[in-house]
Amino acid sequence: MSTVLKSNTQGAHTGTLGGSAAAKRGLGPKLRRLNIPGGLGGWLWLAIIILPVYYVVITSLKTQAGYFGQNPLALPTSPTLENYQMVLEADFAQYFMNSAIVTLGSVIPTVLISFMASFAIVRGAGRFLRLVNGMFLMGLAIPLQATIIPIYLMIIRLNLYDSLLALMLPSIAFAIPLTVLILSNFIRDVPNELFESMRLDGCSEWQTMWRLALPLTRPAIVTVAIYNGLHVWNGFLLPLVLTQSPSLRVLPLGLWTFQGEFSVNIPAVLASVVLSTLPILVLYVIGRRQLLAGLTAGFSK
Amino acid sequence: MSNAVSTAPRAAVRPASSKPTEQRKTALAWLTLPALFFFLVFAVVPLAGVLILSFTSWDGIGAIGAAGLDNWFSVLADPGLYNALGLTFLIMAVSWLVQTPISLLLGVFTAGSQRYRAALAVLYFLPLLLSSAAVAIAFKALLDPNFGLATGLGLPFLAQDWLGVPQLALGLVIFVIAWQFVPFHTLIYQGGVRQIPKSLYEAAQIDGAGTIKQFFHITLPQLKYTIITSSTLMVVGSLTYFDLIFVLTGGGPGNSTRILALDMYLRGFRANLMGPASVIAVILVIIGLALALFLQRLGGKDKQGSQLEGL
C-alpha cells in the first residue's frame, strides 16, 4: 500500500515530463540501486560539458592582463565588458542580422512545404507519392555536403553568388528529408476518426490540412523548426563557399574570420563565441521542453 | 462486418464531396510539388551534377572542359585519397565506439524520473546549441598549454602541443566530436528507453533478475532499433564533420586529420581542382549510401521499410 502511494507521489512530481513517470514505475526500485555508478557517470559527463562552457564565459569577461595573469579557471578579478564592446564594433550586429535573415528565410519555407508534403504522403495514396517518399528517405542517407561543388556552380550560373538567397535555397533542400520524416510520423498519429469526421462535414483535404492536421501537429512543427533553425544558424560550409563579401558574413563565418584576425586577443575571441550563441541560448531556454520532448519522440518512433 | 457499416454513410455523403475517396487521395500528390521542386533542384540535380563534374576539368572560375577518366585515374592513384579514406573510417569507427556506449548509458540514466536527471539532461544539450566553429575555437583556447585547462586544473599532462602532433590532433578531433554530438544521441536513446514497456521490467523483477541482468536482457535488446537509428545517423553524419575539423586543425598537422570531406573542400576550393574534388564527392556519396543500406540490413530485411521511417 505504502509503495503504491510512494510511486504515485513520485509520478506526480515528474508528471510534467510525460513518459518519465511511467518509466520510473517500470524500473522501480532497481533504478535507485543503479544510482551510484549512474549518478557518478552523469555528474562526470556534466563536468565535461560544463567546464569548457564555464571557461569560455569567464575568459570572455577578463581583461588581457587578467587572461595572462590569473589562474585560467578563476573568476575574473575585475570583470569587464570591453571585449563584448569590441566584438560588437567589429560588425557582429551585421552578421547577426544576416544569420537571422538566412535562418528565418530557410526555416519558414522548409517547414511549410515539408508539412504539405508530409500531409500528402500520410493521407494520400498512389505510386507517385510512394516514389516521392522513397526519394526523401534516400536523401537521409546521402551526405548532402558532397554536392557542394555543383551547388557552387549552379549558384554562380543563377547569378546568386555572394547573396543571402544563395544560402537559403540549398539549406531548404537539405532540410526537407528529415523534416518530412518527422512531420509525417506525427501526422500518422492523428486518429483516423478525426479525418473521417472532417470529411463527413464536407471539408476538402486542403481545409482538413490547415484546420485539423496543422493544429494537432503544432508541437512537432515547433520542434522541427527549432532543429532546422539550429542547423542553418550554425551552418558553416555553405556561407564559406557561396559568399565572399564581409557584409554578407553569417555568424559562424564571422567568428572564424574574427578569430583569424584577433588570434592574440583570446578574451575577445571568446566573447564573440558567447555573443554568437546567445540568441540560440535564449531560444533554448524558452523552448527547451518542447524541443527535447519533440526530438525524443520524433527520433525514437 | 464493420466495413459494411462504415461504408454506408460514406456512400451517402459521396455526392456532397463530389469526388470518390480514391481519386481524392491521388489528387493530394500536388501538395508534395513545392518540396519536391526544391529537393530535385538543389539536392538531386547537384547529386547528378557531381558525377558529371567528376569527368570534367574546371578551376572554379573559367570554362568547364571534358576530361574523360583523367580525374578518376589521378585521384585513385593519389596516396592522399587513401590517407583521407583511412582517416575517415578511423574517425568514424572510433567515434562510434566512444559515443555509442556513452550516449546509451546517459540515455538510460536521463530516462529515469528523478528531477535532477531532467535538469542534467537540459544541460547536456548545451553543446548542440553551439556552432562547430564556436566549439572548435573554444577548444583551441581551452587547450592552450599556458593559459588553458592544464594550468587551471594543475594537470601538467594536459599541457601538450595538441594541434602540433598528429596522434594528439586526431585524438583531440575525436574527443571534440564526441563532446559535441553525444548529447544528440543521448536524446535519441532517452526516447527509446522511455518506450520500453514497463511490464517487461516488472516480469523480470518477479523472476528475480538483478539490475545488470535487466539491462542486458531487456534494455539492450529492446533498444536494438534505437541503436540502429542512432548508429546510422552517427556513421553517415561522421562523413560530414567538415566544419569542426576545418576550424580546429585545418586538416593538419601535415595531413593527419584531412578526412574525405575536408580533402574535397581543399582540392576544390583551395587548389581549384574541381574535377578531382568531385571524384572525392562521388566517393563520399557512395560510402554514405552503402553504410546506410548496410545498417538497415542489420535491422532485418522485413523491417527495412519501417526502420527507415523510424529514423
Side-chain angles (χ1 to χ4, degrees):
Chain A
M1 198 58 193
S2 68
T3 50
V4 173
L5 280 176
K6 221 183 244 169
S7 75
N8 270 348
T9 44
Q10 271 160 355
H13 265 297
T14 54
T16 43
L17 272 147
S20 63
K24 170 68 187 194
R25 253 169 265 134
L27 300 172
K30 298 287 173 193
L31 217 144
R32 243 160 285 150
R33 241 190 278 159
L34 248 179
N35 243 349
I36 299 155
L40 275 180
W43 288 106
L44 179 69
W45 188 254
L46 182 72
I48 293 174
I49 295 292
I50 289 299
L51 206 56
V53 176
Y54 168 78
Y55 172 81
V56 168
V57 173
I58 57 154
T59 309
S60 73
L61 295 169
K62 285 179 180 172
T63 57
Q64 286 259 53
Y67 172 72
F68 288 119
Q70 270 187 286
N71 180 306
L73 291 179
L75 288 169
T77 40
S78 50
T80 169
L81 286 175
E82 69 186 23
N83 298 316
Y84 287 88
Q85 195 187 343
M86 186 178 157
V87 172
L88 286 173
E89 279 165 9
D91 282 339
F92 262 67
Q94 177 74 50
Y95 305 159
F96 176 86
M97 276 306 294
N98 293 340
S99 278
I101 293 169
V102 172
T103 304
L104 288 176
S106 308
V107 170
I108 294 170
T110 302
V111 173
L112 196 69
I113 63 180
S114 302
F115 172 71
M116 285 164 55
S118 313
F119 181 81
I121 285 168
V122 173
R123 292 292 301 158
R127 192 183 297 162
F128 177 77
L129 283 174
R130 277 200 303 278
L131 197 77
V132 172
N133 191 31
M135 207 171 66
F136 288 156
L137 289 179
M138 193 81 126
L140 288 171
I142 296 168
L144 288 170
Q145 289 182 358
T147 60
I148 190 68
I149 295 168
I151 283 180
Y152 171 68
L153 173 62
M154 286 167 69
I155 291 292
I156 291 177
R157 291 287 156 89
L158 291 169
N159 273 326
L160 290 174
Y161 180 73
D162 207 20
S163 72
L164 293 181
L165 189 60
L167 306 182
M168 296 180 212
L169 297 175
S171 299
I172 295 172
F174 287 9
I176 286 173
L178 194 66
T179 312
V180 167
L181 181 77
I182 292 181
L183 288 182
S184 47
N185 272 341
F186 276 87
I187 297 175
R188 212 166 272 131
D189 281 353
V190 176
N192 208 28
E193 297 83 58
L194 293 177
F195 285 115
E196 220 25 38
S197 67
M198 288 293 279
R199 209 178 59 78
L200 290 177
D201 287 345
C203 289
S204 67
E205 291 290 338
W206 178 256
Q207 289 166 320
T208 310
M209 180 168 74
W210 297 119
R211 292 202 209 143
L212 179 73
L214 184 69
L216 285 180
T217 47
R218 215 184 59 194
I221 287 176
V222 174
T223 304
V224 290
I226 298 177
Y227 183 76
N228 287 331
L230 261 177
H231 265 259
V232 179
W233 183 272
N234 289 334
F236 187 77
L237 181 62
L238 288 175
L240 178 69
V241 169
L242 301 177
T243 63
Q244 190 176 37
S245 319
S247 65
L248 289 174
R249 277 179 201 148
V250 290
L251 278 171
L253 206 55
L255 264 185
W256 180 61
T257 45
F258 187 79
Q259 178 235 204
E261 287 161 25
F262 293 85
S263 54
V264 283
N265 191 349
I266 297 293
V269 168
L270 295 181
S272 73
V273 169
V274 175
L275 265 185
S276 75
T277 311
L278 220 49
I280 293 288
L281 194 68
V282 171
L283 276 183
Y284 179 59
V285 169
I286 298 168
R288 69 167 198 281
R289 184 160 294 158
Q290 177 91 65
L291 179 71
L292 295 185
L295 279 183
T296 11
F299 277 100
S300 53
K301 249 181 219 288
Chain B
M1 262 310 110
S2 63
N3 258 354
V5 176
S6 63
T7 44
R10 204 178 281 174
V13 173
R14 207 169 270 172
S17 64
S18 82
K19 278 183 206 159
T21 323
E22 269 317 301
Q23 197 185 326
R24 198 169 149 151
K25 281 190 167 179
T26 353
L28 279 176
W30 74 269
L31 285 175
T32 61
L33 293 182
L36 192 60
F37 169 79
F38 271 97
F39 192 69
L40 282 178
V41 174
F42 291 100
V44 177
V45 168
L47 210 54
V50 82
L51 185 63
I52 296 168
L53 282 174
S54 74
F55 299 107
T56 64
S57 66
W58 182 39
D59 61 3
I61 305 158
I64 303 174
L69 288 169
D70 290 0
N71 296 325
W72 283 89
F73 285 133
S74 76
V75 170
L76 291 176
D78 180 357
L81 169 70
Y82 301 100
N83 175 54
L85 266 176
L87 282 173
T88 304
F89 281 112
L90 180 69
I91 290 181
M92 181 189 292
V94 179
S95 292
W96 185 83
L97 282 173
V98 170
Q99 290 183 43
T100 302
I102 298 179
S103 318
L104 204 155
L105 289 174
L106 284 175
V108 172
F109 176 70
T110 49
S113 70
Q114 288 87 335
R115 199 115 220 185
Y116 79 97
R117 296 190 182 188
L120 286 186
V122 168
L123 293 171
Y124 288 161
F125 203 67
L126 280 177
L128 267 188
L129 306 178
L130 301 166
S131 64
S132 295
V135 171
I137 292 169
F139 270 93
K140 267 193 200 174
L142 189 68
L143 291 169
D144 187 290
N146 297 316
F147 307 108
L149 207 54
T151 318
L153 292 176
L155 297 171
F157 76 91
L158 284 173
Q160 308 271 0
D161 186 10
W162 291 101
L163 298 173
V165 181
Q167 286 85 351
L168 289 180
L170 196 58
L172 176 65
V173 162
I174 291 167
F175 175 80
V176 179
I177 289 171
W179 190 84
Q180 199 183 5
F181 292 102
V182 159
F184 179 70
H185 296 280
T186 299
L187 213 56
I188 297 179
Y189 282 113
Q190 186 189 5
V193 171
R194 283 185 181 163
Q195 284 179 347
I196 300 175
K198 54 183 174 175
S199 54
L200 292 178
Y201 291 101
E202 280 158 13
Q205 251 164 284
I206 292 167
D207 291 348
T211 315
I212 297 187
K213 251 193 166 160
Q214 284 186 23
F215 178 79
F216 283 105
H217 289 95
I218 301 174
T219 312
L220 218 47
Q222 286 286 318
L223 286 178
K224 184 183 171 196
Y225 294 116
T226 315
I227 293 173
I228 291 173
T229 302
S230 157
S231 301
T232 306
L233 291 171
M234 208 183 272
V235 163
V236 175
S238 77
L239 296 174
T240 59
Y241 291 151
F242 166 82
D243 26 11
L244 184 80
I245 300 180
F246 179 73
V247 179
L248 192 62
T249 69
N255 284 332
S256 61
T257 53
R258 185 168 166 150
I259 59 162
L260 272 180
L262 196 59
D263 193 42
M264 171 190 79
Y265 174 82
L266 294 175
R267 280 177 201 256
F269 294 93
R270 287 287 164 85
N272 296 324
L273 297 167
M274 294 294 182
S278 299
V279 173
I280 306 281
V282 173
I283 295 174
L284 262 177
V285 171
I286 293 171
I287 295 176
L289 277 175
L291 284 171
L293 283 179
F294 169 71
L295 285 162
Q296 296 312 324
R297 280 287 152 88
L298 280 187
K301 254 186 177 157
D302 46 299
K303 288 286 279 183
Q304 207 167 328
S306 63
Q307 251 317 290
L308 265 175
E309 282 169 23
L311 272 175

